[in-house]
Amino acid sequence: MKNHEYFSLFTTIIRDFKLKGELTGITCVSTGNINDTYVVSTVINGMEKEYILQRVNHKVFSNPDKVAENVCKVTDHVEKKLRESGYKDIRRRVMRYYRKSDGSYFHITDDGNYWRVLSCVYNAVSIDFADIPHLRAAGIAFGEFQNYLSDFPAESLYETIPDFHNTAKRYDNLRKAASSDAFGRLSSVKEEYDYLMSMENEATLLCKLSENGLLPHRVVHNDTKCNNVMFDSVTGEHLAVIDLDTVMEGLVAYDFGDAVRFAANPGGEDNEDTSKIYLDLDYYSAFAEGFVPCLIGKVTDKEIETLPDGVLAITLELAARFLTDYLNGDVYFKCKRDKHNLIRTKAQIALAKDVFGKMPELRKRLSAIVEENR
Ligand code: GN1
Ligand code: MG
């Protein structure tokens, strides 16, 4: 779409939601791989107010209304917990969905796209490459989020993406994509495919422990990239946890693992130069120092002990998902470069190899944090 088309669409959406003020500016947030996100500015009586406008990818989230219901149940619950804890500035600590006057959550365009409006946390930033203080704060944000949801009725949540972090199923999907090889790409990715297959036991370890009743399922965030935490732009303090579309039952180790996978790799998730990719142990420690103390006494010892396994499992799982999408012809993740899914696969594999070599150190550092906080 051209600029003036966005302007006209967003003006229509703002009117549809009966938001006050005139649209004055649009900024695209280009980091997401699934939904399309924009920050829009409006002005009313000389005062500026920002909102998030987001197109929900309804191929990935096939039931957007159910996603909205989930998110609202979760944000209501978190809000209640924040109030009970005596927080004052609630609007900065939890994001909200706007509803239309008929109660619905979406502006649906003639071409069938679902647009929603979310509150914008003021005087706050989201950070793709967090430094150590921000990472520690992100750890606390996701740890507290976990605690707020510890008594949330899991059965009331709709499964927005079935088997989202079922690594065994993700591996099955990879095998299926390889056996049909619909785009003739398998021969060029044999090395990556073989490596992932050789790591299947490590990747599925936590799923097996869970199947055997050794790790409980809890309501977790499921997409704990540090850019899903808003930070105060001046103090760096953590504010709202955002991107709640995948809040579902899952394993705590995957929330821990995904946060570390994303934030403790200074090379970034899709760096073509894999020599830049590694797990920075101090970044790992910083996140763990924020996250783990929130969990102690609230989750089982086995859950704590297996947190490092989550880093390896989720990195392998994401590599498998990227490679599956590459073999399937790039239908799921947005591709912003040629062979983007293959580049992402290689980056995640490079990271998984480094994580694998550092597992003893990850366990050692975790034990030290646990000892200090018991
Ligand atoms: C997707 O769109 P984004 O960045 O919030 C994906 C996550 C991946 C992530 C990798 C619904 O999240 O699972 O970890 O890309 N979300 C979905 O960057 O598949
Ligand atoms: Mg997300």
Side-chain angles (χ1 to χ4, degrees), residues 13 20 27 31 33 37 94 106 119 123 158 187 191 215 226 239 279 281 309 314 324 357:
I13 295 175
K20 298 187 185 87
T27 312
T31 44
N33 292 323
T37 309
V94 61
F106 292 99
S119 61
N123 297 340
Y158 172 80
S187 59
E191 197 185 320
L215 287 177
C226 59
L239 299 168
L279 185 93
L281 289 165
D309 299 289
I314 196 93
T324 303

Side-chain angles (χ1 to χ4, degrees), residues 32-35 61 164 221-223 225 228 243-246:
N33 292 323
I34 308 289
N35 298 328
F61 295 103
F164 189 54
H221 184 281
N222 277 321
D223 189 8
K225 304 203 279 195
N228 282 334
D243 196 0
L244 307 179
D245 299 335
T246 51

Side-chain angles (χ1 to χ4, degrees), residues 185-194 323 326-327 342:
R185 292 174 171 179
L186 182 63
S187 59
S188 66
V189 298
K190 206 65 190 83
E191 197 185 320
E192 288 77 16
Y193 182 79
D194 289 345
L323 188 57
Y326 183 67
L327 291 170
L342 181 56

Side-chain angles (χ1 to χ4, degrees), residues 214-372:
L214 297 170
L215 287 177
H217 267 214
R218 298 182 188 277
V219 177
V220 292
H221 184 281
N222 277 321
D223 189 8
T224 49
K225 304 203 279 195
C226 59
N227 55 16
N228 282 334
V229 177
M230 301 305 297
F231 300 98
D232 185 291
S233 20
V234 177
T235 65
E237 184 199 1
H238 64 281
L239 299 168
V241 166
I242 58 168
D243 196 0
L244 307 179
D245 299 335
T246 51
V247 173
M248 284 180 280
E249 277 192 276
L251 300 175
V252 169
Y254 277 51
D255 265 10
F256 177 78
D258 205 23
V260 171
R261 172 197 72 73
F262 184 78
N265 161 20
E269 191 176 73
D270 58 356
N271 199 324
E272 264 172 81
D273 180 357
T274 52
S275 71
K276 299 259 174 1
I277 289 174
Y278 65 97
L279 185 93
D280 185 305
L281 289 165
D282 292 336
Y283 281 32
Y284 166 84
S285 292
F287 184 82
E289 281 158 14
F291 190 76
V292 175
C294 299
L295 264 60
I296 292 178
K298 307 226 161 100
V299 305
T300 66
D301 289 349
K302 189 76 180 162
E303 282 176 284
I304 301 259
E305 180 198 313
T306 50
L307 291 176
D309 299 289
V311 183
L312 185 58
I314 196 93
T315 307
L316 291 165
E317 179 190 283
L318 192 60
R321 291 175 64 196
F322 286 145
L323 188 57
T324 303
D325 200 30
Y326 183 67
L327 291 170
N328 286 341
D330 307 312
V331 287
Y332 185 92
F333 295 102
K334 280 187 212 167
C335 283
K336 299 158 194 166
R337 285 183 251 158
D338 187 33
K339 296 203 171 76
H340 204 163
N341 275 318
L342 181 56
I343 294 166
R344 290 164 168 150
T345 306
K346 290 184 189 210
Q348 295 304 302
I349 288 179
L351 183 62
K353 287 180 177 167
D354 194 50
V355 169
F356 187 58
K358 287 175 176 161
M359 285 305 278
E361 184 62 23
L362 300 193
R363 293 194 204 285
K364 202 169 117 198
R365 286 179 178 230
L366 174 73
S367 301
I369 295 169
V370 173
E371 278 318 304
E372 267 167 42

